[in-house]
Structure formats: C-alpha cells, structure tokens
Amino acid sequence: MLPPMSKPLKAGGEVDSGCCKCKLVLNHRIIAMVSGTPVRVECSTCNSHHNFRARAPGEKAPAKAGATTTKAASGTAGPRSTRSTSASKAAKEAADRERSWEKAVSGKAVSEFRNYRVDEMWSEGDLVRHKKFGDGIVTRILDAKKVEILFKDEPRTLAQGLVD
Ligand SMILES: [Zn+2]
C-alpha cells in the first residue's frame, strides 16, 4: 500500500490554518497536536498564537451536495490530489520544485530581493527574502490578499497587501 500523500503533521511542522487576525487561510507553524490534529498554531504572517481552524474565519463549510469528504484537518489536499498518485511522483515534484527554485534565485543580486512584509503587494516572478523561510520567488497570485511563494523547501501561502 502506498503511504498517504499528505505529510504527517507534527508539532513544529507547518499547516495551512485560518488566522483570526489576518482573516485568511495562511501558512502556520504547529504548536500543539492532539491525536494527529493540530490544535494550537502560530501564524507565519502575524505571529499570533491561536487555535487551529481549517477554514478562514466566517467562511462556511462547503454545502455542495456530493461533497462528502470534507477533509477538515488536511488543508494540503487540493485539486492536485488527483494527480499525485504515487510517492515517487511526489518526490519528483519536490525535486522539480527545488530545481525551479534554484533556477529562480541563483545568481541573483541581493538588491533584486525585497524583504517580505505583509503590507507589500507582489507580482508573479518577484524575488522575496523572508526572515524565517529564506529566499523565495512569487509563483502565483492567489487573490488580492494571498500569494504563493516558492521557498527552497516548499511553496507557502502568505499574505500580501494587508493593512491594519
Ligand atoms: Zn495571522
């Protein structure tokens, strides 16, 4: 049998969680786990500590008929899950990601990177320097408030254009 595709979650690891301050589902660090489910998380964007929530605050559970599997705890299983059918494929994708990350950041001058801040706005292809995650490149603009940034180890969903 093949192992489940999503990475095993553990304290100190990372998970996408709704953040009560950012009002978005963003990358979080897991502080505490109970029976395999994150319960306390730290927001990578605003650093606040709060309970894990699989959805953005105020967002309703999908009420679509036929949506039987909610997969509440695994925010990682997106539309891509149908493609990832084997562990070796996942490993290859990770290697491909790291190669494209290397290609994107190698040989770039320090001045070409902008420090990551939640109130910055980003465009695809922008080079980012993050104080926790290191160098990265903006791979996708998810919406007006969220960008996907590819870091050396993995892509992360981070906030953009946040104003208090
Ligand atoms: Zn936050």
Side-chain angles (χ1 to χ4, degrees), residues 19 21-22 26 28 43 45-48:
C19 175
K21 281 177 83 175
C22 302
L26 296 165
H28 282 67
C43 179
T45 300
C46 69
N47 294 321
S48 67

Side-chain angles (χ1 to χ4, degrees), residues 113-117 120 122 127-130:
F113 292 81
R114 270 195 292 157
N115 287 326
Y116 174 78
R117 285 166 41 148
E120 288 272 355
W122 301 94
L127 294 166
V128 186
R129 177 149 289 158
H130 193 285

Side-chain angles (χ1 to χ4, degrees), residues 39-110:
V39 289
R40 289 292 287 176
V41 293
E42 177 189 80
C43 179
S44 303
T45 300
C46 69
N47 294 321
S48 67
H49 291 198
H50 52 78
N51 293 333
F52 171 77
R53 40 180 83 73
R55 289 186 189 83
E59 208 173 290
K60 291 218 172 63
K64 255 188 281 176
T68 46
T69 52
T70 47
K71 291 189 177 178
S74 87
T76 53
R80 280 179 299 180
S81 59
T82 46
R83 272 174 47 218
S84 319
T85 47
S86 75
S88 64
K89 190 162 180 175
K92 185 181 175 297
E93 282 176 7
D96 285 350
R97 266 207 312 268
E98 188 167 335
R99 256 200 304 280
S100 51
W101 174 85
E102 269 172 11
K103 217 170 125 192
V105 303
S106 67
K108 294 291 194 298
V110 176

